[in-house]
Amino acid sequence: MTIGPDHARPETTLPKEFAHTLVSADVSTPAVDALFWREFGDPILDALADDALLANSDLKIAFFRYRQTAALLRGADAARGPAAALEMDATYGDTADSSASRGDSSEYQTGLSVSWELDLVGRLRRTVEARRATLDADSMDRAAMQVAVMAEVARTYIGLRGTQERVRIARHALVNRRQTLRIAEVRHSAGRASAFDVSRAKVQVEETLAAIEHLQESAGVTMHRLAVLTGRTPDTLIAALGTDTPLPRLPEAPHAGTPGELLLRRPDIAAAEYRLRAATAQIGVATADLFPRFTLDALLGIDSPRLFGGHGSTRLMGLGMDWTFLQNASVRSRIAAADADAAAALAAYEKTVLTAMEETENGLLRHVRARAEERHLLSASGSSDDAARLARRRHAAGAIDLSDMLDAEAQTLRARDALTLARMRSIDTVIDLYRALAGGWPNRGPAQSGAGPAGSISFIPSPPPARD
């Protein structure tokens, strides 16, 4: 007999398809790859991700929390068996009788006691069930943390390479603007340009220099962040990442599947369900206090006046009963608290499901819009380049003023910078999709405490099986 309600997977009503799709049904798209960062084809990113899996502080914290819960589960499981205790006692003193004679006395006692709770209503079984569900939830938390860390490493790396690309664009514009400034100064000296033209050209040079300083600051901060994500001190990656490298290629967006598949894939949803299971089991633990608790006790002891020599023995066996019926109000309050905790865990599960749906829908929508934005800005960048070339030719021919040429060059810089930002956003949306779809969560069997280094992907658990 096991008291209390059994866990059942909550009924969840989901749409058959996501509201936003990336491609038509007849176009194949890649599935969610557990090692999604390799899709970028960048060996430096691959190395950073591998380092983060082994040394990231958040993953280490999640691992040791898992180990802590595993230890508590072993303790709860051990409590189902008999508990033995060895006791030893020695006393020494003197005695006096009515005739005032005195004498020494000593007593040695050794005893082995054994107590075994008879789990008639399943209190201990429910306790173990709750601990095991909590352990599974911690495993899923570790899996969700891995997804988050891998996404942050990839996003931060993309931010670094995008910022370095913007620095290159700004430096290229700086070369052109300095040339324009020199031309303006020469023409002003010859009386062919105004002081206003020279001042405006200087403003553009200084603004570009200021923009480069700001971008280099951002790149440095991003390098520091990547170092911490990979378990290093902030200064350690500056030399390795300081060399400008182009943005990685944009990988194909993963196939989102169906909302039902998402429900089984996301580790945070699995963690929420396991916590609901643990809270449900705790109702049984609290309800068991309404019934008497029986223990089988045994004692084997030895009494002797000498440490070595003759002795007497004691053998006892009995059945104990502990019943808290006199504390009925307290027991009922604990049951009510357990019921409320389970209801809260159910609400948390439902919220996690809705949040997962929201993140996936947002990821799909943002990716479609970001790709469209990138196409428009690519066209705008090409047109601004053409306009700047034409403006330089017309200015050289005297057809337009210097200010018109400066406007065209400024527009070119803005268009190129905007295109780079759009490319970064497009890549970020792919990363967000992988995170929403639980990419970076290797499906490699059940969790094994202590297997492999802390944070390693080798002991991330599989999704929980469906339950009847």
Side-chain angles (χ1 to χ4, degrees), residues 181-343:
L181 175 59
R182 285 194 293 270
I183 292 172
E185 290 173 339
V186 170
R187 291 193 174 192
H188 176 61
S189 299
R192 297 171 55 191
S194 67
F196 171 75
D197 291 334
V198 175
S199 297
R200 187 173 181 188
K202 286 182 178 178
V203 168
Q204 288 199 344
V205 169
E206 294 300 326
E207 286 179 344
T208 307
L209 286 169
I212 291 173
E213 293 292 339
H214 176 73
L215 291 171
Q216 287 177 330
E217 172 199 332
S218 178
V221 170
T222 306
M223 291 181 204
H224 299 164
R225 182 59 188 153
L226 278 171
V228 173
L229 285 171
T230 54
R232 299 179 173 93
T233 57
D235 60 306
T236 52
L237 290 182
I238 295 176
L241 298 177
T243 303
D244 293 354
T245 302
L247 271 169
R249 67 168 183 257
L250 177 67
E252 291 292 333
H255 180 56
T258 66
E261 292 170 344
L262 179 69
L263 198 69
L264 297 175
R265 186 188 300 125
R266 294 256 310 208
D268 56 340
I269 294 178
E273 183 182 347
Y274 279 129
R275 287 197 166 86
L276 173 59
R277 184 186 187 98
T280 303
Q282 286 294 342
I283 298 175
V285 174
T287 306
D289 286 340
L290 292 174
F291 299 85
R293 189 181 305 175
F294 294 97
T295 56
L296 186 62
D297 301 310
L299 173 65
L300 176 62
I302 298 175
D303 298 326
S304 175
R306 296 187 301 275
L307 183 60
F308 302 102
H311 59 267
S313 62
T314 301
R315 296 181 181 87
L316 297 176
M317 181 173 289
L319 181 67
M321 183 181 73
D322 178 14
W323 196 0
T324 58
F325 69 94
L326 296 177
Q327 304 174 10
N328 185 67
S330 177
V331 173
R332 294 289 181 183
S333 66
R334 291 198 296 272
I335 295 173
D339 284 335
D341 187 52

Side-chain angles (χ1 to χ4, degrees), residues 37-42 45 158 246-252 423 427 430:
W37 54 89
R38 301 193 187 280
E39 297 295 321
F40 292 93
D42 190 315
L45 176 57
I158 295 303
L247 271 169
R249 67 168 183 257
L250 177 67
E252 291 292 333
R423 289 185 61 203
I427 298 175
V430 174

